[in-house]
Amino acid sequence: MLEMSSLSRWGLHAALLALLCCSESGEAAFEVYTWPERLVVESRGSGMVNCSTSCAQPESGGLETNLEKTLLEEQPQWKSYLISNVSQDMVLICYFNCAGKQQTKSLNVSVYQLPKQVTLKLQPMWVTLGKPFTIECRVPTVEPIESLTLTLLRGKETLHSQTFSGGAPAPQEARVALNSTANKEDGLLNFSCQAELDLRARGGSVFRSISENQVLEVYEPTLNNQTIIIFPVVSVLLFLFVTSVLLCFIFGQHWRQRRTGTYGVRAAWKRLPQVFRAQPA
């Protein structure tokens, strides 16, 4: 009887352990999944989310969010939703209930705004060889700005690349400027600006936009053939003009001195007797 009692107690313990083990293994096998694992959506746009579970017969399940959502299709182990009007980064929650237990899985949603308008400006657009000028690129609205890179190009050559630190979670303006000195190559190649929004770290793709080409007019401070001919001609004419003026002035002064000298002698002769008469005896 004692041996039978020990066996029955061992059997009871084994049954309890088996039940506990089976319960734990069943709970471990119950998982919730999201697809995609990370979602990127254009600002005010929409995206698809799929919630699924490994539970063979879930009691219930769904998607928790404050966004507008539409159930597109469902099966016992998965549900597919369309979320709309996404305006900011957020977290969605997929959940399923199975055998009285609930499991959840979070999904990060990132909002982006493409750099659709890329503007390049050269200041000034006409410059003398060796003089300074500025290359400026602007993107009025882009998000997230920390995923943006602006690259200034001369032909296919990279002149400068600029990345940006994160700021407010909203579309922002991006700007980059480069001061340079005009050389001969600047007048032979086009200038442009490329904006690259890299969303791969958030589960998205790489988007690129490029500005219209701009041309820098570079002028060399040299004299052309016409200037070379005109310059000596003008110099000779100026010399002749100055010489003629000087000669006219000299001859005029000489003529005036001659006239003044003659009248002076005659006047002296006329006044001479009067002077003698004016003297006392």
Side-chain angles (χ1 to χ4, degrees), residues 1 22 56 80 129 142 173 224 238 252 255 269 274-275 277 280:
M1 287 292 293
C22 291
S80 181
L129 184 67
V142 63
E173 181 186 58
N224 54 31
L238 181 62
W255 178 76
W269 278 104
Q274 296 177 4
V275 171
R277 289 195 295 268

Side-chain angles (χ1 to χ4, degrees), residues 145-151 160-166 175-176:
I145 196 169
E146 61 269 22
S147 299
L148 179 70
T149 301
L150 292 182
T151 303
H160 180 71
S161 292
Q162 178 73 48
T163 57
F164 302 87
S165 58
R175 174 185 176 274
V176 60

Side-chain angles (χ1 to χ4, degrees), residues 156-199:
K156 295 183 179 181
E157 176 189 1
T158 298
L159 299 177
H160 180 71
S161 292
Q162 178 73 48
T163 57
F164 302 87
S165 58
Q172 300 177 63
E173 181 186 58
R175 174 185 176 274
V176 60
L178 176 67
N179 296 321
S180 184
T181 302
N183 57 54
K184 293 182 179 180
E185 293 183 357
D186 292 333
L188 302 176
L189 299 172
N190 294 327
F191 288 86
S192 61
C193 178
Q194 176 181 274
E196 179 181 278
L197 192 64
D198 189 351
L199 300 175

Side-chain angles (χ1 to χ4, degrees), residues 127-132 181-186 217-221:
V127 64
T128 304
L129 184 67
K131 296 297 182 179
T181 302
N183 57 54
K184 293 182 179 180
E185 293 183 357
D186 292 333
E217 298 290 344
V218 180
Y219 293 91
E220 297 186 37

Side-chain angles (χ1 to χ4, degrees), residues 52-93:
S52 61
T53 179
S54 61
C55 178
Q57 293 181 340
E59 298 164 359
S60 61
L63 177 67
E64 290 184 358
T65 178
N66 293 326
L67 295 172
E68 178 184 348
K69 64 180 180 180
T70 303
L71 180 62
L72 300 177
E73 193 174 356
E74 66 176 327
Q75 293 293 330
Q77 290 183 279
W78 59 268
K79 297 176 183 290
S80 181
Y81 295 91
L82 177 69
I83 56 173
S84 306
N85 198 25
V86 185
S87 59
Q88 61 184 1
D89 295 353
M90 60 180 53
V91 178
L92 307 181
I93 303 295

